[in-house]
Amino acid sequence: MKTIMSVLIYVELDNGSIKKTSLEAVAYGAKVAEKTGGQAVVLALGKAENTALEIAGQYGAAKVLHAAAAELEHENSLAYANALVQAATQEGSKIIILSKSGLGDAMAARAAAKLKAGIVSGVTALPETDGGFKVTRSIFTGKAFATTEIRSDIKVLVVRKNAIELDEAGLTGGNAAVEAFQPTLRDSDFTASVVSVEKADSELSLTEAEIIVSGGRGMKGPEHWQPLIDLAKALGAATGCSKPVSDLDWRPHHEHIGQTGIKVAPSLYIACGISGAIQHLAGVNGSKCIVVINKDPEAPFFKAADYGIVGDVFEILPKLTEAAKSL
Ligand code: FAD
């Protein structure tokens, strides 16, 4: 029987469902499989119903390997990377794809070392496969792009959010078959492991959010945050903030965006009273569209904005909220 070369895509789960960033990675992997004459195979680790995994087929996956062992319930980059390597070996995968996140990067590095594979993290577009395997990634916190050629037999790519348009990927409508997968787990993979997880009270994760409304010191204090929260609610958006805002405890630390905080890549980022220091921009320049509201027309953030509103954030936010509610 002829073996078809497979592209293996690891998907992260959230409460048993495939995260949106991982579905993008599946669509990306399916396009790579199409280009390289292979098939897209998905690997999911941890508890999930088959119905929640089958949808990977709609993004182009031929099948899903699912390891549901109790030890894999919580993220563990050692054990997960070990399982990824075993799945890649079983499937004969020459290309392994993960979505960019702390876990994705940690697994990718470990798996690449074990497989002696070339690795590129922060990939922003489909690879060029004519005359070598070349991938583009963002460097200098998104200020420039570098093209890297991977020459090893096995290649590991960590893909950034928005590297592929999901619409452009085209959903096939079919569900993928789910197969049980049983990696050999070693005690040495569990020298440190998560014993419990407590979710933060914000419902929307910043890294998954399609829209983020974010506030800076221009919001004047925690007691003035309501207009920003109202707009976020009206848009179904997550809320974020600049570093000084979280340092001052105006907002919780998990909302801090930037070089030293969370890096986000929503479709729409609305910055309210944020000056646009390079350290903040480093965390938001993967956004598809940036709207800046600032009363200072010289604020640096306007240079990075797709749309700018010069004015008082406390006058503008209620108007935007009204407009959003009437949509
Ligand atoms: P400010 O710079 O004080 O800007 C407030 C803005 O609000 C101004 O532009 C002002 O015109 C505007 N404004 C005021 N009132 C109104 C109003 N009524 N309506 C409209 N606009 C108004 N920062 C980050 O955000 N994330 C990071 O990860 C980060 N990491 C850093 C790492 C290092 C090593 C260093 C040195 C700094 C880092 N910083 C980071 C800090 C960064 O340099 C800036 O100091 C910070 O981003 C500024 O925050 P801000 O824009 O909220 O405040």
Side-chain angles (χ1 to χ4, degrees), residues 121-271:
S121 179
V123 175
T124 53
L126 286 168
E128 290 298 325
T129 50
D130 293 336
F133 190 96
K134 295 182 190 137
V135 278
T136 304
R137 69 189 166 103
S138 67
I139 54 171
F140 302 131
T141 63
K143 284 205 173 334
F145 295 93
T147 301
T148 307
E149 182 173 359
I150 309 183
R151 299 202 189 95
S152 54
D153 185 32
I154 301 178
K155 301 157 180 63
V156 177
L157 309 184
V158 185
V159 180
R160 262 177 74 146
K161 195 166 177 252
N162 295 334
I164 189 168
E165 285 280 346
L166 279 185
D167 295 347
E168 176 201 306
L171 304 185
T172 64
N175 284 343
V178 180
E179 282 178 18
F181 174 62
Q182 279 165 338
T184 308
L185 301 169
R186 306 166 309 190
D187 285 349
S188 55
D189 290 337
F190 296 94
T191 43
S193 48
V194 177
V195 283
S196 69
V197 175
E198 221 169 286
K199 280 240 168 198
D201 49 6
S202 75
E203 316 78 48
L204 273 171
S205 120
L206 277 172
T207 49
E208 291 281 302
E210 277 301 303
I211 307 178
I212 295 172
V213 185
S214 191
R217 240 180 335 208
M219 292 298 296
K220 311 281 188 232
E223 67 280 17
H224 301 300
W225 230 260
Q226 200 53 45
L228 188 154
I229 294 169
D230 290 343
L231 177 62
K233 274 202 183 130
L235 292 170
T239 52
C241 67
S242 67
K243 182 174 184 293
V245 163
S246 66
D247 286 348
L248 289 161
D249 272 341
W250 292 2
R251 296 296 297 167
H253 279 274
H254 62 78
E255 287 197 359
H256 160 196
I257 291 171
Q259 185 185 320
T260 47
I262 294 178
K263 292 177 186 55
V264 297
S267 296
L268 175 61
Y269 186 79
I270 305 178

Side-chain angles (χ1 to χ4, degrees), residues 8 82-93 96 115 154 181:
L8 183 66
N82 187 17
L84 180 65
V85 168
Q86 290 178 46
T89 308
Q90 173 185 301
E91 296 298 311
S93 310
I96 300 171
L115 294 166
I154 301 178
F181 174 62

Side-chain angles (χ1 to χ4, degrees), residues 6 39-43 56-57 60-65 90-91 176-179:
S6 79
Q39 66 172 10
V41 175
V42 160
L43 174 67
K63 68 173 174 183
V64 178
L65 301 178
Q90 173 185 301
E91 296 298 311
V178 180
E179 282 178 18

Side-chain angles (χ1 to χ4, degrees), residues 215-220 241-245 256-261 272-277 279-280 293-296 299 311-314:
R217 240 180 335 208
M219 292 298 296
K220 311 281 188 232
C241 67
S242 67
K243 182 174 184 293
V245 163
H256 160 196
I257 291 171
Q259 185 185 320
T260 47
C272 311
I274 303 179
S275 57
Q279 295 89 354
H280 188 81
I293 309 169
N294 198 303
K295 68 176 186 186
D296 174 8
D312 187 334
V313 76
F314 298 106

